[in-house]
Amino acid sequence: MKSPSNVMRQSSLTKLGSIINTAVNKRAGNGDIQWCFSQVKGTLEDDVTEADIISCVEFNHDGDLLATGDKGGRVVIFQRDPISKNSIPRRGEYNVYSTFQSHEPEFDYLKSLEIEEKINKIRWLKRKNPAHFLLSTNDKTIKLWKVSERDKRVEGYNTKEENGTIRDPACITALRVPTIKPMELMVEASPRRIFANAHTYHINSISVNSDQETYLSADDLRINLWHLEITDQSFNIVDIKPTNMEELTEVITAAEFHPAECNVLVYSSSKGTIRLCDMRSAALCDQHSKLFEEPEDPTNRSFFSEIISSISDVKLSNSGRYMISRDYLSVKVWDLQMETKPIECYPVHEYLRSKLCSLYENDCIFDKFECCWSGNDSAIMTGSYNNFFRVFDRTTKRDLTLEAARDIAKPKTLLKPRKVCTGGKRKKDEISVDCLDFNKKILHTAWHPSENVVAVAATNNLFLFQDKL
């Protein structure tokens, strides 16, 4: 069975007449935000396997851990280096903490469908004990992982040998008290819950509720509500599947819970709309409480308007007052109290508007870029092509284009702002829009919850940057 998003995409490729959507504040003297290179994790090689490509990046709630998932189903957790954390000034350096295989490739025999092992999303739970917990999901199955440390071992058992074999009771002639001895630190990752068989279509979002007891999972047409302790039952809270699938006009692209109000959630669609739902009003949230949609500018109307208006990501601010949405060409800031239009709009790569035809032909127009907030909601970050990523300062209205380049060799190297030339005579430090590499793209980014440290996934490499200190 094909997912609705694939059906919609094929429809847009064949029916040209009726397209259906497919889906910081440390500043230098001149007022610009300045960033410097911290470190890179990965191998800077030209031969990259598909399984090594990073598919999601996520800091935990205090920023001491950073998790990445890849298309091979692996999760790699990095831990902040204690020396860099306690140094003055503080540095954003991370070391590998744990690596484990989260998902394996599967095959649905009833639907003759291959299920990829690719990790679509990772979400951390707030820490309640010495262990860490995180949710990871591929297209169909969500898993809750426990990551814990062990630096002591027990010796001197009565009923078993040191290698674990059971002793013959007849050989036990005396009782002894087991002793605890130190051992080399071992980090263990174990699956605690497996939430499966609840989605017909591909899961694109998971979000932990502020109550830390429930979470949502969203696919192309439905959003389910789960309890973290119950694996065999979930509640369908949003269902936009039409009675006749030929009448399908939009799909869900992203969903997220409010950071403070456990009854509020938002989800975006391929039609460029965002719906806010209140679970107190009805068990089934098909009737939204608020609809955020910007009227289309008739002057920019084109063959590709519906495709580029599709929202690929939506993130509520840490304060819970605002949210950002990312479409193909821009990032928009919305006030939850105002539905009619965004309060801010930042063009990410407006110079690509003239290239939409070629981007459509090479399928780049269907790329799904993510976006993220800084810890204090004063800045926004999102990715672009040519390994560029963009930082927008909401206070000064300044923006910055930076590059996650492989030629950065040393930590503390100051990143030079990049500029794209759209025509005419090109200046020395500019790059022509015709020279951009569309195979190099920053789709996944994350911002430290309390410091100006950012993580940027560039193919199989994880770049870490921090503001200039």
Side-chain angles (χ1 to χ4, degrees):
M1 178 183 290
K2 295 180 181 178
S3 70
S5 56
N6 288 337
V7 171
M8 296 173 75
R9 175 169 168 179
Q10 290 173 1
S11 175
S12 66
L13 290 171
T14 56
K15 299 179 182 180
L16 300 183
S18 56
I19 301 178
I20 295 177
N21 306 336
T22 54
V24 179
N25 284 348
K26 182 76 175 179
R27 297 180 178 85
N30 59 3
D32 287 331
I33 307 170
Q34 289 192 313
W35 293 85
C36 64
F37 171 64
S38 181
Q39 62 182 157
V40 61
K41 298 292 184 180
T43 55
L44 300 177
E45 299 175 354
D46 293 325
D47 296 330
V48 180
T49 63
E50 186 76 9
D52 293 330
I53 296 176
I54 297 174
S55 55
C56 56
V57 183
E58 187 77 9
F59 281 102
N60 73 337
H61 290 84
D62 60 11
D64 281 349
L65 296 180
L66 172 63
T68 65
D70 62 26
K71 290 188 175 182
R74 295 180 296 268
V75 172
V76 180
I77 301 175
F78 301 93
Q79 184 180 48
R80 188 155 188 184
D81 183 68
I83 298 176
S84 77
K85 181 180 178 180
N86 299 320
S87 65
I88 300 176
R90 291 163 67 118
R91 303 192 310 274
E93 296 175 4
Y94 287 74
N95 300 317
V96 175
Y97 179 64
S98 177
T99 302
F100 58 92
Q101 187 73 30
S102 176
H103 287 72
E104 300 282 356
E106 302 174 42
F107 189 80
D108 188 332
Y109 294 97
L110 293 176
K111 299 176 182 177
S112 296
L113 183 69
E114 291 184 5
I115 303 172
E116 294 182 349
E117 64 270 37
K118 172 192 169 189
I119 307 298
N120 292 340
K121 294 290 180 182
I122 290 174
R123 291 291 181 264
W124 291 91
L125 276 67
K126 288 186 177 177
R127 195 174 185 183
K128 296 180 179 179
N129 55 48
H132 299 273
F133 290 85
L134 61 86
L135 289 167
S136 64
T137 183
N138 65 350
D139 287 339
K140 297 293 183 181
T141 304
I142 306 161
K143 295 184 180 182
L144 174 66
W145 290 89
K146 177 183 179 181
V147 182
S148 55
E149 296 181 352
R150 189 151 61 94
D151 60 357
K152 294 180 176 62
R153 71 177 186 272
V154 179
E155 292 184 354
Y157 286 105
N158 290 283
T159 58
K160 60 183 180 181
E161 304 290 349
E162 297 303 329
N163 60 5
T165 58
I166 302 299
R167 297 177 64 188
D168 183 358
C171 299
I172 303 175
T173 58
L175 294 177
R176 52 183 174 176
V177 178
T179 58
I180 298 176
K181 293 188 177 181
M183 59 176 282
E184 186 178 349
L185 178 66
M186 180 184 299
V187 181
E188 298 176 321
S190 56
R192 307 298 291 178
R193 306 276 188 277
I194 298 178
F195 308 87
N197 305 319
H199 285 276
T200 305
Y201 307 105
H202 293 171
I203 299 172
N204 56 49
S205 303
I206 52 175
S207 177
V208 181
N209 203 345
S210 59
D211 61 14
Q212 294 294 300
E213 293 182 356
T214 57
Y215 74 92
L216 66 78
S217 59
D219 64 22
D220 293 333
L221 297 179
R222 296 187 179 99
I223 299 177
N224 293 336
L225 179 67
W226 300 82
H227 194 285
L228 285 164
E229 299 295 329
I230 302 172
T231 61
D232 59 352
Q233 186 180 30
S234 64
F235 297 95
N236 178 228
I237 55 176
V238 174
D239 188 348
I240 65 169
K241 182 180 179 181
T243 305
N244 183 0
M245 284 294 283
E246 291 183 359
E247 299 174 358
L248 182 67
T249 59
E250 66 177 328
V251 295
I252 297 169
T253 56
E256 188 178 52
F257 267 122
H258 191 280
E261 299 177 24
C262 61
N263 52 284
V264 175
L265 63 101
V266 297
Y267 70 91
S268 58
S269 85
S270 57
K271 275 193 169 181
T273 61
I274 305 171
R275 292 174 174 86
L276 183 144
C277 301
D278 191 333
M279 292 190 293
R280 295 174 300 182
S281 60
L284 190 62
C285 299
D286 287 348
Q287 299 299 319
H288 53 268
S289 300
K290 292 185 179 182
L291 177 66
F292 301 86
E293 183 177 15
E294 184 180 24
E296 185 182 2
D297 185 356
T299 59
N300 287 332
R301 178 72 186 175
S302 72
F303 173 80
F304 306 103
S305 295
E306 294 185 32
I307 299 177
I308 63 175
S309 66
S310 174
I311 296 175
S312 58
D313 194 21
V314 60
K315 292 282 175 59
L316 286 152
S317 65
N318 298 290
S319 67
R321 173 66 188 272
Y322 306 99
M323 66 179 172
I324 50 175
S325 63
R326 173 69 205 267
D327 56 42
Y328 189 68
L329 294 178
S330 64
V331 174
K332 295 169 183 171
V333 181
W334 302 82
D335 189 326
L336 294 188
Q337 306 301 320
M338 188 171 75
E339 305 170 53
T340 54
K341 62 179 181 179
I343 58 173
E344 300 163 27
C345 183
Y346 301 99
V348 177
H349 37 218
E350 187 64 24
Y351 47 79
L352 294 182
R353 190 176 290 275
S354 62
K355 301 286 184 181
L356 292 179
C357 186
S358 59
L359 291 167
Y360 179 81
E361 292 174 351
N362 63 18
D363 283 356
C364 285
I365 201 170
F366 301 106
D367 286 334
K368 293 175 171 57
F369 292 94
E370 296 177 4
C371 53
C372 62
W373 291 92
S374 65
N376 59 4
D377 299 337
S378 66
I380 300 163
M381 179 173 60
T382 190
S384 181
Y385 294 103
N386 208 68
N387 278 359
F388 289 168
F389 62 99
R390 305 269 279 141
V391 179
F392 303 96
D393 190 310
R394 298 181 60 212
T395 306
T396 64
K397 304 303 179 185
R398 294 181 182 271
D399 62 89
L400 201 58
T401 301
L402 302 171
E403 182 181 5
R406 62 169 58 193
D407 56 358
I408 304 175
K410 297 186 297 183
K412 299 184 181 180
T413 302
L414 190 65
L415 297 184
K416 295 181 179 179
R418 303 303 304 268
K419 291 185 179 181
V420 178
C421 172
T422 56
K425 190 174 182 180
R426 182 170 63 90
K427 295 181 181 178
K428 181 180 179 181
D429 296 331
E430 292 182 339
I431 181 172
S432 171
V433 67
D434 297 320
C435 297
L436 295 176
D437 188 342
F438 293 103
N439 292 318
K440 296 179 179 179
K441 57 192 80 171
I442 303 294
L443 299 177
H444 313 288
T445 59
W447 202 307
H448 191 285
S450 58
E451 298 180 31
N452 285 334
V453 176
V454 299
V456 174
T459 318
N460 66 322
N461 298 304
L462 179 69
F463 288 85
L464 290 160
F465 303 98
Q466 66 184 97
D467 59 341
K468 182 178 179 296
L469 297 171

